[in-house]
């Protein structure tokens, strides 16, 4: 998604808890054509730590005197039956999957208000925010994603109106993908927590998706192409929740 925004001329800053970006980030950076005018930068930040998030977001906004959009995608996964889930693990998961989205969003919204930018945000929820995946035991992850869908609606309502001073008018939507082949899911397969064949069968298209298939959705949600869309949850799940 970051790559898609760069190709459209965006200056994109990726935040992740890892000290160094993963290889796919470097590959994306090498593919970038400077003629598009975009750029791809990396910053280490823990989205569950408000000081960390505010520090990075504030510095990006003050350097550019604007901040146009946010894609909040950081999340963690843990497959543990509800009967065995420790309260520490519940708090850890919510601190990233829910609080992390809220902290990132409000940090960006503060800058959008400050620089009077009618920005747009996309929270990465999941189809798991609306369904229980058959046979996949992840009660806290799934409910954390339901919380993201609900947060989307509330922040859309709070920040949607344009004020007389020209601030506000911020749009907030969520995106609910289906199964995507990413390191998170590879780990689920490796640990035997999920079955590839079953996940393929879950989809009406009979396959698992790839990250590239969400590129256009990111661009759509962050650009003026979706100018009359806010408080919505865009489901792109190969039909998994439709049957
Ligand atoms: N893979 C899927 O099938 C699938 C389906 C639906 C939704 N999603 C959602 O898509 C998003 C991306 O997931 P993914 O599959 O690429 O997972 P991933 O594990 O491959 O990537 C998640 C990233 O979040 C980072 N992260 C974790 N904790 C963090 C923290 N505290 N601060 C900052 N960064 C942190 C990780 O380092 C990692 O780079 C997540 O929100 C996930 O819930 C994934």
């Amino acid at each position: 998604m970051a790559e898609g925004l760069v190709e459209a001329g965006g200056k994109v800053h990726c935040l992740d808890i890892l000290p160094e970006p993963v290889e796919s980030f470097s590959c994306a950076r090498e593919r970038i054509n400077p003629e598009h005018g975009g750029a791809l930068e990396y910053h280490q930040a823990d989205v569950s730590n408000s000081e960390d998030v505010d520090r990075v977001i504030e510095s990006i906004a003050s350097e550019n005197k604007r901040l146009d959009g946010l894609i909040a995608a950081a999340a963690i996964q843990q497959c543990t039956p509800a009967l065995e889930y420790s309260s520490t693990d519940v708090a850890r998961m919510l601190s990233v999957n829910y609080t992390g989205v809220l902290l990132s969003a409000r940090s960006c919204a503060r800058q959008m208000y400050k620089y009077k930018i009618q920005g747009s945000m996309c929270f990465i929820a999941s189809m798991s925010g609306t369904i229980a995946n058959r046979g996949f035991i992840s009660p806290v992850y799934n409910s954390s994603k339901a919380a993201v869908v609900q947060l989307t609606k509330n922040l859309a309502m709070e920040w949607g109106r344009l004020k007389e001073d020209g601030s506000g008018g911020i749009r907030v939507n969520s995106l609910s993908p289906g199964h995507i082949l990413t390191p998170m899911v590879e780990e689920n397969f490796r640990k035997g927590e999920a079955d590839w064949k079953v996940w393929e069968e879950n989809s009406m298209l009979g396959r698992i998706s790839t990250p590239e298939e969400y590129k256009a959705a990111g661009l759509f949600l962050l650009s003026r192409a979706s100018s009359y869309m806010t408080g919505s949850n865009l489901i792109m799940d190969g039909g998994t929740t439709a049957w």
Side-chain angles (χ1 to χ4, degrees):
M1 290 172 111
E3 210 177 332
L5 293 168
V6 172
E7 284 167 4
K11 223 171 149 183
V12 180
H13 295 260
C14 295
L15 280 60
D16 199 289
I17 198 165
L18 302 173
E20 297 295 330
V22 290
E23 205 189 329
S24 54
F25 178 89
S26 317
C27 294
R29 206 174 203 178
E30 278 165 25
R31 279 197 295 268
I32 287 169
N33 181 349
E35 283 169 22
H36 292 311
L40 191 59
E41 303 293 335
Y42 186 82
H43 309 264
Q44 184 187 16
D46 177 352
V47 295
S48 67
N49 178 325
S50 63
E51 279 123 53
D52 227 15
V53 174
D54 288 347
R55 177 181 51 78
V56 178
I57 303 285
E58 255 183 72
S59 76
I60 294 168
S62 79
E63 192 186 316
N64 296 281
K65 300 286 172 275
R66 61 184 304 125
L67 191 91
D68 299 270
L70 164 72
I71 296 181
I76 53 174
Q77 168 69 282
Q78 183 182 332
C79 297
T80 303
L83 290 171
E84 289 153 28
Y85 227 108
S86 74
S87 53
T88 312
D89 282 353
V90 173
R92 189 177 68 94
M93 167 121 2
L94 293 180
S95 76
V96 181
N97 294 16
Y98 172 72
T99 312
V101 175
L102 175 60
L103 295 181
S104 307
R106 75 170 190 191
S107 190
C108 288
R110 283 177 185 147
Q111 300 305 318
M112 288 171 183
Y113 274 106
K114 180 175 173 185
Y115 293 103
K116 299 188 172 46
I117 303 289
Q118 293 168 48
S120 181
M121 301 189 188
C122 164
F123 300 163
I124 308 300
S126 171
M127 66 176 178
S128 309
T130 14
I131 54 160
N133 292 305
R134 212 171 299 156
F136 186 63
I137 309 298
S138 56
V140 182
Y141 173 86
N142 286 16
S143 44
S144 75
K145 292 298 179 177
V148 170
V149 173
Q150 171 61 358
L151 181 66
T152 302
K153 296 174 189 175
N154 282 272
L155 300 186
M157 182 187 73
E158 276 192 45
W159 301 337
R161 296 290 166 96
L162 193 59
K163 293 187 185 174
E164 275 183 14
D165 69 0
S167 68
I170 299 166
R171 297 183 297 110
V172 186
N173 293 290
S174 57
L175 173 67
S176 284
H179 301 307
I180 321 166
L181 194 58
T182 65
M184 181 189 275
V185 163
E186 281 166 3
E187 184 73 356
N188 292 141
F189 290 140
R190 199 185 55 76
K191 290 182 175 166
E193 294 165 340
D195 184 291
W196 184 296
K197 276 272 148 243
V198 171
W199 277 18
E200 281 187 335
E201 285 305 314
N202 283 345
S203 155
M204 287 180 181
L205 298 174
R207 64 177 180 84
I208 295 171
S209 67
T210 63
E212 293 76 17
E213 295 184 271
Y214 300 89
K215 215 167 149 180
L219 186 56
F220 169 66
L221 290 174
L222 258 67
S223 72
R224 297 289 297 162
S226 59
S227 58
Y228 200 57
M229 182 173 173
T230 199
S232 279
N233 179 37
L234 179 59
I235 299 175
M236 291 178 71
D237 64 354
T240 303
T241 59
W243 63 359

